Amino acid sequence: MDVVPKLPIGEWMEGFVEVLGQYKGVLFDPVSIVISTMVTYCSTVLAEIPSLILILLLGAAAWVFAGRASMVFTVVGLSLIHNLGYWDETMETLGLVLTATMISIAIGIPVGILCARYDTFRNLVTPILDLMQTMPAFVYLIPAIFFFGLGEVPGVIASVIFALPPIVRLTNLGIRQVPAEMEEAADAFGATGWQKLVKVQLPYAKSTILAGVNQCIMLALSMVVIAAMIGAKGLGADVYRAVSQVDIGRGFEAGLSIVIIAIVLDRLTQHAGKKERNI
Amino acid sequence: MPKMKVYQLTKVFGKQPELALKLLAEGRTKEQIYKQTGQSIGVNQVSFEVEEGEIFVIMGLSGSGKSTLIRLCNRLIDPTSGSIEIDGEEIVDMKASALREVRRKKLGMVFQNFALFPQRTVRENVEFGLEIQQVPPGLRQEKAREALALVGLTEWENAYPDQLSGGMRQRVGLARALANNPDILLMDEAFSALDPLIRKDMQDELLELQMTMKKTILFITHDLHEALRLGDRIAFMKDGQIIQIGRPEEIMADPADEFVRKFVEDADLSRVLVAENVMKRAEAITPDKGARVALQLMMDNGVSSLYVVDKKRTLLGLITAYDVSLAIGTGDSLETIMKTDLPTVSPDARLHSLFPMMADLHVPIAVVGEQQRLLGVIVKGAVLGGLVGKVNVQEHQRAEVMSDGRRA
């Protein structure tokens, strides 16, 4: 086994990160500014809305998209969070999750479309997606801190890395599931590639893609505690602090708030795709 | 000029189509080439012409290459070699944008499994072809409604495809293809997914629509009865090749080989053959002749009755030998003794529609064309003869499978 000397993969990676670090000002600072602006904007807007109104708005949305039971759960659950005193932290967490989701959608859907169109591209992307989902988050947090500093930006980056793959995978799957005859119909009537995508493939794949978005939100939410370890604010920070101080009560309350948010977001997005066809 | 002209069209599925083409040119068979190169020949040097306003049926079993062939015609599949001309315009080497124009303006397609868009309403489905041509919404809705009215689905325009039955869905498919007002309809096993009774309704409806629309229709099917019902001409396909092209009655009467013969053996001839195919020459006389002449004519021809016609061969009546022999005694003219209440049929009446008529008749049935012109006569013996394959196929309508030299 010792015939081959140890491969210096670790050294290569360090060298690679170092080279990237030299171009930090060009490569990462613009990204950092965009992300922190988005997070701040989302959190501020959410925090500005009076809590009662936001609870009612989300309740109404739950009623429209997911029915009465979900509406009741949303109103009661969010009121409970408010009562426990985690409202501001919840808004910060939502800001983080929304930002990570928007970035994931913006990258994931186009990449998924390309995967569906070109087999070679998909074969190239699939192992990268596997890597993103299985590589322990702490491993890529180290370079993320190096590039983006502490705070919510590396938190969002970590969330995107973890939450992006399902959108790519399900967009690819959704488009590949469009029946061949339906694509032929689009071609036979003289549709351009773009028209076929927008008028036939994406509408057909919509519910699958939305399932990907739903998964993406859930995964982003699951990253909030890890994000908190590198300085992101929100409910994750409370959980993290409770862990380090062995504060059972506080940990449970913050954890419960995360669960409530997760269920509310899940119900809202899970049914959004299906609702309009039940006429 | 034919509406559509396909010449030596070939499709090879595989990585080295040139090699397969070379072997084909050397006269190797599909199997030999598959064994030698692993490439399969989907469509093998197929040539045919479709005339304007004709329903041209391509008939074959699964794997015969018929679905590939229809997809080559609008280049959903690109041919390996050969040519396809539509209105004299070659489409095989056409650029993508020009091809799109041809697909938008000239070709409509109907699919076996309907291929409707589930997230669109019936009307939005029908609008699809116009929508991608950027026709303004008001106009395309109007055209879509017209097309839906043609197929009798006006009230369903706001329904979704999954709310419709199979037959209704295919009507939407047909309306979608008609909304663009294309010259040519490509119908790929359009009715095969439907129940037999509904299939028959749809066939009738297509024939009815065709009477007014006069589209050029290329229709693919594996169902011989469908082919015989719909086709003005039928092309038989096997192993990627066309074996025989001809009118239904020609194929029934004169199958090109054992394969076609086996196929048509099961067909009910009475639903294929028409009066014209089995009629005999009608013996006739003009009314100014006397009874004696009539009797002599009957004896000469060995018949017991004669049709009375005027100079333009318009049918006036029928005289029998018995009446004529009486008239010789009384001196009555032929016009006074002839029967005028005669059974007549048009030359394109199907034989099976004649059976009930013939059952209670003792006189032959006259075949008359326009303005009651006498064309022939149908006697029982001739009908039975037709059912066992003795039919009149005129020389000029004989089956013609085009040979290589035809194009020049």
Side-chain angles (χ1 to χ4, degrees):
Chain A
M1 285 307 286
D2 293 337
V3 180
V4 181
K6 176 187 180 294
L7 293 172
I9 290 179
E11 282 83 2
W12 290 343
M13 197 62 207
E14 276 170 20
F16 178 63
V17 168
E18 206 167 304
V19 171
L20 284 182
Q22 285 166 4
Y23 300 98
K24 180 173 176 292
V26 192
L27 285 177
F28 303 108
D29 288 356
V31 177
S32 184
I33 291 166
V34 170
I35 293 177
S36 65
T37 312
M38 280 175 81
V39 176
T40 317
Y41 186 77
C42 288
S43 310
T44 319
V45 167
L46 288 169
E48 285 295 311
I49 303 172
S51 51
L52 183 66
I53 291 182
L54 190 61
I55 291 174
L56 291 178
L57 275 178
L58 286 172
W63 197 357
V64 172
F65 289 124
R68 265 237 313 261
S70 300
M71 183 269 283
V72 172
F73 180 87
T74 302
V75 172
V76 173
L78 293 178
S79 304
L80 178 64
I81 293 177
H82 192 263
N83 173 273
L84 294 173
Y86 288 96
W87 188 258
D88 291 342
E89 288 78 3
T90 303
M91 292 306 114
E92 283 160 3
T93 295
L94 271 182
L96 197 89
V97 169
L98 283 180
T99 306
T101 308
M102 283 189 284
I103 294 172
S104 299
I105 291 173
I107 300 171
I109 291 183
V111 171
I113 290 169
L114 289 175
C115 284
R117 183 150 297 184
Y118 306 106
D119 284 347
T120 351
F121 186 71
R122 181 197 54 180
N123 296 342
L124 205 79
V125 165
T126 310
I128 300 177
L129 296 181
D130 295 337
L131 191 87
M132 287 163 75
Q133 283 191 304
T134 50
M135 181 67 85
F138 296 103
V139 176
Y140 51 77
L141 278 180
I142 310 167
I145 295 168
F146 182 65
F147 294 138
F148 299 106
L150 290 171
E152 48 276 314
V153 178
V156 169
I157 301 271
S159 303
V160 168
I161 289 176
F162 193 56
L164 177 67
I167 294 200
V168 177
R169 287 189 213 273
L170 286 165
T171 302
N172 169 50
L173 178 72
I175 292 178
R176 280 177 191 266
Q177 275 174 340
V178 177
E181 238 189 12
M182 215 172 274
E183 296 193 0
E184 284 184 333
D187 288 332
F189 285 99
T192 60
W194 177 254
Q195 286 175 324
K196 182 162 83 167
L197 179 70
V198 174
K199 292 181 191 291
V200 177
Q201 293 172 316
L202 287 182
Y204 190 89
K206 196 173 100 184
S207 58
T208 313
I209 295 173
L210 284 175
V213 172
N214 172 276
Q215 285 300 299
C216 169
I217 293 175
M218 295 298 105
L219 292 180
L221 204 53
S222 72
M223 287 294 282
V224 295
V225 177
I226 291 177
M229 295 172 71
I230 47 173
K233 288 179 280 188
L235 292 168
D238 287 288
V239 174
Y240 184 50
R241 222 168 293 142
V243 170
S244 54
Q245 294 167 6
V246 204
D247 186 341
I248 297 173
R250 192 174 174 185
F252 186 75
E253 285 174 359
L256 187 66
S257 302
I258 292 177
V259 171
I260 291 170
I261 287 295
I263 295 175
V264 169
L265 289 178
D266 179 63
R267 295 301 179 272
L268 276 176
T269 51
Q270 201 175 54
H271 297 278
K274 295 171 194 163
K275 189 62 189 174
E276 73 196 66
R277 287 282 291 107
N278 295 336
I279 298 163
Chain B
M1 187 176 66
K3 188 77 193 166
M4 196 170 167
K5 190 169 168 183
V6 170
Y7 179 74
Q8 289 285 297
L9 197 63
T10 302
K11 175 67 191 177
V12 178
F13 293 104
K15 292 215 165 111
Q16 300 165 278
E18 302 78 20
L19 178 63
L21 281 181
K22 203 171 127 254
L23 293 171
L24 268 185
E26 285 167 15
R28 307 288 177 84
T29 66
K30 189 176 159 169
E31 285 77 28
Q32 288 170 331
I33 294 172
Y34 184 75
K35 259 190 197 150
Q36 192 177 332
T37 69
Q39 310 195 74
S40 75
I41 312 290
V43 170
N44 185 357
Q45 302 168 75
V46 160
S47 302
F48 61 87
E49 288 177 2
V50 186
E51 299 297 329
E52 179 136 26
E54 182 182 37
I55 301 185
F56 189 85
V57 176
I58 294 169
M59 156 86 208
L61 298 176
S62 58
S64 62
K66 58 190 192 304
S67 282
T68 307
L69 178 57
I70 200 170
R71 281 167 174 72
L72 292 174
C73 291
N74 62 356
R75 281 185 52 196
L76 284 178
I77 299 175
D78 271 318
T80 310
S81 75
S83 105
I84 303 158
E85 282 177 22
I86 292 174
D87 291 328
E89 199 181 3
E90 178 61 58
I91 71 158
V92 168
D93 48 16
M94 218 174 231
K95 287 210 185 74
S97 57
L99 176 64
R100 264 202 305 275
E101 267 324 285
V102 171
R103 286 170 171 178
R104 287 176 179 187
K105 305 285 190 232
K106 290 191 178 168
L107 297 165
M109 191 159 184
V110 183
F111 294 86
Q112 178 170 10
N113 297 311
F114 324 131
L116 300 179
F117 307 119
Q119 69 287 351
R120 288 168 165 251
T121 63
V122 165
R123 199 197 65 231
E124 287 165 350
N125 262 288
V126 175
E127 275 175 38
F128 182 78
L130 298 163
E131 189 182 323
I132 57 178
Q133 295 178 42
Q134 273 134 25
V135 174
L139 183 60
R140 71 184 189 229
Q141 282 177 18
E142 191 188 315
K143 298 240 178 192
R145 290 207 177 94
E146 281 170 22
L148 281 171
L150 275 179
V151 298
L153 284 181
T154 306
E155 279 135 54
W156 295 86
E157 62 168 277
N158 292 318
Y160 283 89
D162 57 10
Q163 295 169 303
L164 306 183
S165 69
M168 288 159 92
R169 284 184 206 180
Q170 195 55 301
R171 275 168 215 218
V172 179
L174 190 57
R176 180 174 63 179
L178 292 174
N180 290 15
N181 197 21
D183 303 345
I184 301 175
L185 278 184
L186 303 174
M187 303 185 71
D188 177 29
E189 299 242 21
F191 304 147
S192 299
L194 305 175
D195 295 335
L197 285 177
I198 294 171
R199 192 184 310 162
K200 197 161 167 290
D201 287 346
M202 290 296 287
Q203 290 164 358
D204 289 340
E205 208 167 309
L206 181 67
L207 288 172
E208 208 172 289
L209 281 172
Q210 174 67 355
M211 296 234 270
T212 54
M213 295 186 312
K214 302 273 183 236
K215 301 280 181 201
T216 305
I217 300 178
L218 194 59
F219 194 103
I220 301 282
T221 184
H222 63 262
D223 175 352
L224 181 67
H225 282 103
E226 184 164 78
L228 295 171
R229 268 178 73 104
L230 294 178
D232 291 316
R233 284 190 302 149
I234 300 172
F236 258 86
M237 254 191 117
K238 187 190 164 197
D239 292 340
Q241 282 178 305
I242 289 186
I243 302 173
Q244 186 175 18
I245 298 179
R247 296 152 69 84
E249 62 272 16
E250 291 168 356
I251 288 183
M252 296 295 289
D254 187 15
D257 69 0
E258 202 48 38
F259 173 76
V260 181
R261 186 194 319 286
K262 277 212 176 121
F263 231 106
V264 299
E265 249 169 22
D266 299 331
D268 182 354
L269 273 167
S270 71
R271 288 175 189 278
V272 181
L273 298 177
V274 293
E276 200 175 27
N277 300 129
V278 298
M279 68 188 185
K280 300 267 182 250
R281 206 168 84 88
E283 299 304 333
I285 188 169
T286 47
D288 53 319
K289 302 281 191 318
R292 282 177 193 284
V293 182
L295 194 60
Q296 187 60 44
L297 203 58
M298 286 183 196
M299 279 155 64
D300 289 351
N301 289 297
V303 291
S304 61
S305 59
L306 275 183
Y307 284 104
V308 182
V309 295
D310 67 10
K311 291 272 187 305
K312 290 177 178 163
R313 251 186 119 74
T314 307
L315 179 64
L316 300 173
L318 179 84
I319 48 174
T320 62
Y322 177 73
D323 291 337
V324 169
S325 61
L326 291 182
I328 290 172
T330 59
D332 288 339
S333 74
L334 295 183
E335 260 175 321
T336 55
I337 61 163
M338 71 186 182
K339 293 192 176 77
T340 52
D341 175 28
L342 297 175
T344 59
V345 294
S346 69
D348 55 3
R350 303 267 171 201
L351 285 196
H352 71 97
S353 69
L354 305 183
F355 293 154
M357 235 168 139
M358 293 175 68
D360 12 286
L361 277 179
H362 300 289
V363 288
I365 301 172
V367 181
V368 292
E370 277 165 38
Q371 270 127 32
Q372 291 288 303
R373 214 169 90 77
L374 181 65
L375 300 174
V377 62
I378 291 181
V379 296
K380 280 182 187 168
V383 172
L384 293 176
L387 291 184
V388 295
K390 282 189 212 157
V391 296
N392 320 321
V393 176
Q394 276 105 10
E395 212 42 52
H396 69 268
Q397 346 174 299
R398 270 203 103 74
E400 47 186 352
V401 176
M402 285 191 292
S403 60
D404 294 4
R406 269 241 4 196
R407 203 169 178 232

